[in-house]
Amino acid sequence: MPTAPPIVTYIRVSTSGQGRSGLGIEAQRQTLAHFAAAEGYEVVREFVEVETGKGSDALDRRPQLKAALAAARKLKCHVGVAKLDRLSRDVHFISGLMAHKVPFVVAELGPDVDPFVLHLFAALAEKERALISTRTRQALVAAKARGVTLGNPRLHVARKSAVEAVATSANRFAANVLPIIREAQKAGATSLRDIAAALNARGVATARGGQWHAKSVSNILERAPGT
């Protein structure tokens, strides 16, 4: 009986939009699992990242994507993603990834999409992002013309907003990592150290892209409701 070809999966949630429908960790994992089963792949490694996809240094801030590329090169297999924008909406970034000579498959597009078509989809996604940005700027200009005050002149209010934004981002990160922690606990990880080891083994990075320790796991659990 022939052996199923291996595939390395890469899952990413953005720090600015983790709660959007269809983009969560579990939703991507299920999509990739169904894709692998339907197309005859065997998922041999999974890499999970919580990081924005924007910026020219996006790859430098995504150690799990680098690790996924390295694993795929070693195993001589594809990297699978649920949606193309889980890699990026930047066509140049997508082109740069393809320069690594690691083939990608996108579950929502099917297994037979060649690199040229992937470039086309990436270009469309980049154009969509540009249109959204333009509409946002136009809305701000229109609001200012109506006399709406943009920004807050009071420094302490600005500082409060910044603190709240950081807290919100941390809570969202915790909400995305918590299901993985629960899976580890069900699998027998009882101590904080055991959970940290399980997260590191699964390729899940901390919010800053580092390794997990007992304290960082404790911080996540403290933010989780009902724990």
Side-chain angles (χ1 to χ4, degrees):
M1 182 175 182
T3 303
I7 189 172
V8 171
T9 59
Y10 175 73
I11 295 171
R12 180 179 68 86
V13 288
S14 171
T15 53
S16 61
Q18 297 168 19
R20 288 178 292 180
S21 175
L23 298 183
I25 288 176
E26 289 305 319
Q28 291 178 62
R29 180 175 290 135
Q30 290 177 13
T31 296
L32 287 165
H34 292 158
F35 172 80
E39 302 300 333
Y41 288 105
E42 179 187 0
V43 177
V44 292
R45 295 288 303 276
E46 176 188 280
F47 294 86
V48 180
E49 196 139 54
V50 181
E51 180 57 85
T52 180
K54 298 179 181 179
S56 59
D57 63 339
L59 186 56
D60 292 333
R61 291 183 283 104
R62 290 161 66 176
Q64 295 306 307
L65 179 53
K66 283 187 175 181
L69 290 170
R73 279 194 295 269
K74 182 177 181 180
L75 296 169
K76 297 181 180 180
C77 69
H78 288 69
V79 173
V81 293
K83 298 172 178 287
L84 185 60
D85 64 7
R86 296 305 83 204
L87 290 174
S88 177
R89 289 187 176 89
D90 188 317
V91 66
H92 297 296
F93 185 82
I94 298 294
S95 298
L97 289 179
M98 291 181 177
H100 285 265
K101 305 299 182 183
V102 174
F104 289 89
V105 289
V106 182
E108 71 172 352
L109 302 180
D112 300 321
V113 176
D114 61 35
F116 175 73
V117 176
L118 285 180
H119 276 90
L120 290 178
F121 276 104
L124 290 172
E126 184 178 79
K127 181 63 175 178
E128 180 186 23
R129 184 183 67 182
L131 290 173
I132 292 172
S133 178
T134 298
R135 287 195 293 266
T136 300
R137 287 196 301 271
Q138 291 173 343
L140 291 173
V141 170
K144 187 175 182 179
R146 294 195 304 270
V148 177
T149 301
L150 302 179
N152 198 312
R154 298 177 64 87
L155 182 59
H156 74 276
V157 175
R159 286 175 176 169
K160 180 181 178 181
S161 297
V163 171
E164 290 175 347
V166 170
T168 298
S169 178
N171 288 337
R172 287 175 176 172
F173 178 84
N176 277 278
V177 175
L178 186 61
I180 307 176
I181 291 177
R182 297 303 186 213
E183 288 181 6
Q185 289 174 323
K186 290 179 181 178
T190 56
S191 69
L192 296 175
R193 183 175 298 178
D194 290 341
I195 295 172
L199 291 171
N200 292 329
R202 294 194 66 169
V204 180
T206 65
R208 295 186 178 183
Q211 293 288 301
W212 289 91
H213 301 283
K215 179 59 178 175
S216 50
V217 173
S218 176
N219 291 339
I220 292 294
L221 293 176
E222 288 176 359
R223 289 185 174 276
T227 59

